Every structure is written in structure tokens, then in C-alpha cells.
Amino acid sequence: MELKKVMRSVEILLSCMNEEDYSIISGSNIKTNTVIINQCSENSMNQININNNKYVKWINSTERGLSKSRNMAIHNSCADICLIADNDEKFDDDCEQKILKAYEDLPDADIIIFDLHNKPTKLKPKIYLPKRLEMLRVCSCQITFKRASIIDNKLIFDVKLGAGTGNGAGEENKFLLDCYDKGLKIYHVPEKIAVMTENESTWFTGFDADFFYKQGMSTRYILGFGLSCTYGLYYAISKHNQYKKDISIFGALKNILSGIFDNKLTKKI
């Protein structure tokens, strides 16, 4: 049976911390409906009207953790389609139109992964259904999804992972793997929708021993023992040019394997 094309609404779900004013709205070139979760020292909510009858739902929250922020944004969204975002990107003027067109062209899609202008991707430069392990090649700012698909399948961002947990990143990869394992249709569409900017990271402090330990710890949690060892070796080799000034390849691999074998994250209650 042919799936009908329907008009849909889009919202950006943007996570940030300690924003003191609303300048991030213009700074990110936000021109579509948006939910912003600003983790700070108070709990409050405000709605800000922007151009063309669009709005920003601004939520200040004392909760901490990037995954908690993502989940709160999903809960407070009322859109058909959501785009995950951070405070370090600037959206294309026609970002919303590109997203809507992709979902109209792929009506069976539950999730569509897009590209970014200045961030190379290892996904194939075509419209296709990526394999399971290709979910590890995706960053959060590429991810859009039908909100109903996520809610109906009780899918969330794992609160053990992400900035603010002290356990390293990878929350978006586990989210996509959970979606994949639930049987959701995940497409890659090689359409660029935003530019990454160079804001200071709230979690990345450099390629030190602790970074690689947490990389091993989170990878073990996401992939299990066997695959995490293989991926850990691949990661240490493939990222060598990025970290070689900070730590040797043997030091990186040693700490990744220590994180994998200690398995602290999986053992946490």
C-alpha cells in the first residue's frame, strides 16, 4: 500500500548551558520552531516569537546531563519531525524546507541523517539505509526523527552517556543503535543543513588518558565486549593524526582497553 504524503511540522531541539540571554537564537540562525533547553541555575519557561509566525519555547532547567536535556526537549516538543541540535552550529536558511522535502520523498522514514557543510562524513554520498555499525559514524547534529516513532517505541537518550555524566560521549550513537534494533527505518540523505561553529566544548578537554579510558568504557557499554575491542583498535588507529601530539598510539590503546576491561559503566546501577 502506498504511503500518503502529509504536511508535517518541524522543530529544532537545541541543548545549551548557562545562556544568559536569547542571543543564541540569532547566532544559530534559527528561523523555524524550536525548543531550547538551557541548563542553568533556575527552572522557568518562556515562549519567544520570531519571524514568520515561528516561535522558540525556551526552558531553563537545573537538571544536568546532555541526554536529560535531549529527553526533556523531546517531551516538550509538539512537532511531527525533530532535529537534534547543540549551541555550536548555524542552520541554513532553508533548513526546514530541506528536512520536510526529505520526509516527503521518503514517507516510510522514521529517522533521517543529514550532512553538515564543514564536517566530513564517512557515510556513503547517496540516499540509502545505513548498516547497524554505521550508526557509530553519526554525530547528534545530523539526526532528525519522526517524534511519534520515538515516543511510540519508548526510545530515549541514555542518561548514563553524554556531557555532564562523566562517562564520555556516544549518547547519540546508542540512541541510533537502539532505534535500529527496534526496526525503525533510518535513512541517510546527503543534504547539508547546517554549519558547525567553534564554540568551546562543555565536555572535551583534550586527548588525554582519561578521554581514551572513557572512550573504552562507553564503547563497551554500547557495543559489548567483542565489538568494543575491535572498534577500540580501529578508533586508536584512525584517530592517530588527531591526538598524536598529546599521547602515543600505544598509550591511547592501553587506556581504551582499560576502560573496556574495567566495564565500570555497564556495572553502574
Side-chain angles (χ1 to χ4, degrees), residues 15-29:
S15 297
C16 56
M17 285 192 71
N18 298 317
E19 294 289 332
E20 297 180 354
D21 56 36
Y22 300 142
S23 59
I24 192 173
I25 297 172
S26 59
S28 298
N29 196 38

Side-chain angles (χ1 to χ4, degrees), residues 169-217:
E171 76 286 346
E172 71 272 34
N173 307 115
K174 187 171 189 299
F175 174 77
L176 287 175
L177 288 170
D178 290 343
C179 292
Y180 187 97
D181 292 341
K182 280 278 190 177
L184 271 60
K185 284 287 187 71
I186 304 175
Y187 283 90
H188 172 242
V189 172
E191 182 75 64
K192 296 178 175 66
I193 58 172
V195 174
M196 301 298 292
T197 58
E198 295 184 0
N199 290 348
E200 184 176 353
S201 172
T202 59
W203 66 270
F204 181 70
T205 57
F207 290 108
D208 54 14
D210 184 60
F211 170 84
F212 287 103
Y213 181 86
K214 289 176 179 176
Q215 179 69 26
M217 187 170 63

Side-chain angles (χ1 to χ4, degrees), residues 213 216-217 220 225 228-229 232 255-263:
Y213 181 86
M217 187 170 63
R220 169 71 184 267
F225 178 71
S228 65
C229 289
N255 284 285
I256 288 174
L257 292 175
S258 292
I260 290 172
F261 279 93
D262 286 352
N263 197 24

